[in-house]
Amino acid sequence: MQPDIVPSTPRRLQPQHDRLAAIVYNPAKQADEAAFRRRVSEALGRRGWDEPLWLPTTEDDPGYSMTRQAIDQQASLVLGSGGDGTMRVICSQLA
């Protein structure tokens, strides 16, 4: 006797209120930082995420401590925005 097969239903995105998104970004690469932050916040909000943790890089730190902070805060999602150097730092720290 074969077990009943229940068709799967499409999974809907659930709010991620228990998860943290962190944005490591180079503000020098943003033509309009306020608009960038608004667009990212809105896109995450449409997907059920709360306001992210914003971690801008500095001239002295291209993202090492910012990415480390995202890891230490147990961010479930880390997004990066910047040039090649910023992205290399973020990826190397996450790896």
Side-chain angles (χ1 to χ4, degrees):
M1 183 191 299
Q2 291 194 346
D4 291 336
I5 298 175
V6 179
S8 64
T9 56
R11 289 180 29 191
R12 300 191 62 149
L13 292 176
Q14 297 299 315
Q16 304 294 323
H17 299 292
D18 60 330
R19 296 188 181 166
L20 175 65
I23 316 303
V24 180
Y25 70 101
N26 183 340
K29 296 291 184 177
Q30 306 305 322
D32 184 344
E33 186 176 349
F36 166 73
R37 290 175 67 135
R38 187 173 48 255
R39 282 192 309 271
V40 171
S41 291
E42 288 171 359
L44 288 170
R46 285 192 302 272
R47 290 160 179 83
W49 293 82
D50 290 331
E51 183 65 19
L53 176 62
W54 293 99
L55 302 168
T57 63
T58 66
E59 280 187 39
D60 297 331
D61 186 342
Y64 293 104
S65 66
M66 296 77 184
T67 307
R68 181 86 252 153
Q69 183 179 351
I71 294 166
D72 291 345
Q73 299 247 347
Q74 299 180 342
S76 299
L77 175 67
V78 178
L79 299 175
S81 178
D84 293 348
T86 302
M87 298 311 294
R88 265 194 304 269
V89 169
I90 294 168
C91 291
S92 70
Q93 292 302 294
L94 291 173

